[in-house]
Amino acid sequence: MPSVLIIGGGPAGLSAAIYAVRSGIQTTVTYKDGGALDKTDKIENYFGFTDVISGPELLARGQAQAKRLGAQLVQTEVTGVEYAEKGFTVKTTAGEFTADAVILATGAPRATPPIPGVRELEGRGVSYCAVCDAFFYRGKAVAVLGEGEYALEEARTLLPVAASVTLLTGGTPAPGNLPEGLHVDERPVAAVEGEDKVARVTFHTGDPLAVDGVFIAYGTAGSGDFARKLGAQLDGNKIQVGEDGATAVPGLFAAGDCTGGLLQVAKAVSDGAQAAMSAIKFVRKA
Ligand SMILES: Cc1cc2nc3c(=O)[nH]c(=O)nc-3n(C[C@H](O)[C@H](O)[C@H](O)COP(=O)(O)OP(=O)(O)OC[C@H]3O[C@@H](n4cnc5c(N)ncnc54)[C@H](O)[C@@H]3O)c2cc1C
């Protein structure tokens, strides 16, 4: 049976799941948590609710609806998406999944960390994509800024290529499952510095760490990170999609806040439905 995997279990991802599963496609939703709706106290501008509804209640209803229709909901963190022989392999903390098409729906893009030098040196030693840029750091010293599973995944990509890889957790205790050969420094980072390109990271203690590259991988990977790695177009951190929800990468679709525009439930639900319809068409032809 053709399959679609959706990354994100907010209104965009769940709406996509409802449309995909009702068309007879094997549908899996991977989601880390309740996303933006979990932080929303009251919603009173969504169609059909005469009374105010809370974000968590609306989310629970969407989850129950998708499950009742037959979608598989898996609570896990996605750390990477790669091309497979046919379709995609999605790496998660609960193992790997394969799918003929993927819909990205991880919510609002992440902000760039407010560390001086990061924005200024983007593309000149500051990178957001180890798979894309590791090659440029063959035999060089690099740092990964981050503290979770996503940062470790970026470090694993860099370790076989770079001369040294240091995980900079910025004051957070390092995770337990460190890959072999990875150095760790838990001190908070004050700045990324260099003249034309990255030359060092400076800690709040004033100590420098000489590096040629800095890979940003805070928190959880978002749709933008996955899209960038697969070669889709981005406008800043927003994924560029056509009216049909398709990215420039065959079989890869995006929906909801991660595509920008109106950051509202109504738009996320509409986007999810559209991306699912396009994904259905794609997997039936594939
Ligand atoms: C405080 C607040 C109040 C709001 N009030 C309103 C309102 O009144 N009306 C309204 O219409 N809208 C409101 N919104 C906006 C609305 O909540 C969002 O527009 C909507 O939830 C976007 O849906 P989404 O599915 O794109 O993303 P989200 O709802 O953010 O869902 C993102 C999903 O992706 C998952 N995810 C992210 N990264 C990963 C990963 N690496 N692996 C696995 N899963 C991942 C998350 O766990 C989550 O399930 C509000 C938002 C906030 C924050």
Side-chain angles (χ1 to χ4, degrees):
M1 194 197 289
S3 58
V4 171
L5 187 138
I6 299 155
I7 307 177
L14 290 170
S15 167
I18 289 162
Y19 276 75
V21 77
R22 290 187 80 246
S23 72
I25 306 287
Q26 187 190 317
T27 305
T28 305
V29 180
T30 50
Y31 69 103
K32 188 175 175 230
D33 53 31
L37 276 190
D38 238 7
K39 305 180 188 92
T40 310
D41 217 14
K42 294 175 187 162
I43 296 187
E44 62 176 6
N45 59 0
Y46 187 55
F47 177 82
F49 289 85
T50 45
D51 297 320
V52 163
I53 182 162
S54 76
E57 166 70 13
L58 186 59
L59 186 67
R61 290 192 191 200
Q63 286 178 339
Q65 185 182 9
K67 272 190 206 159
R68 178 179 68 76
L69 291 167
Q72 189 194 7
L73 270 59
V74 183
Q75 186 159 19
T76 183
E77 179 183 335
V78 175
T79 55
V81 185
E82 291 168 6
Y83 293 109
E85 199 177 315
K86 187 176 170 287
F88 299 87
T89 300
V90 178
K91 290 183 175 179
T92 80
T93 48
E96 289 189 0
F97 295 77
T98 54
D100 299 314
V102 166
I103 299 176
L104 303 171
T106 62
R110 293 180 305 150
T112 306
I115 295 175
V118 165
R119 197 169 276 285
E120 294 80 352
L121 291 164
E122 272 172 12
R124 291 185 291 131
V126 171
S127 170
Y128 292 84
C129 176
V131 169
C132 317
D133 295 339
F135 186 73
F136 300 121
Y137 296 93
R138 291 186 312 278
K140 297 189 173 177
V142 298
V144 176
L145 264 62
E147 70 303 318
E149 283 300 324
Y150 178 48
L152 291 185
E153 187 61 30
E154 291 293 86
R156 279 186 206 106
T157 303
L158 291 160
L159 277 165
V161 182
S164 74
V165 182
T166 307
L167 182 73
L168 303 177
T169 65
T172 306
N177 51 337
L178 295 175
E180 206 182 312
L182 180 65
H183 306 286
V184 176
D185 197 316
E186 295 180 355
R187 288 176 291 176
V189 173
V192 177
E193 295 170 339
E195 294 302 315
D196 298 330
K197 54 190 177 65
V198 169
R200 78 196 77 83
V201 165
T202 308
F203 298 101
H204 278 293
T205 53
D207 298 327
L209 172 74
V211 287
D212 302 293
V214 172
F215 287 78
I216 311 294
Y218 282 113
T220 309
S223 293
D225 302 301
F226 303 135
R228 192 179 284 116
K229 284 172 194 183
L230 292 167
Q233 305 282 311
L234 280 94
D235 174 9
N237 284 330
K238 288 174 253 154
I239 302 169
Q240 290 194 312
V241 287
E243 280 179 12
D244 57 356
T247 70
V249 175
L252 185 69
F253 303 85
D257 283 4
C258 65
T259 62
L262 184 69
L263 304 184
Q264 291 280 282
V265 175
K267 189 250 183 195
V269 168
S270 163
D271 278 4
Q274 181 58 69
M277 295 311 288
S278 303
I280 293 161
K281 225 188 260 177
F282 177 85
V283 299
R284 284 194 175 141
K285 270 196 213 142

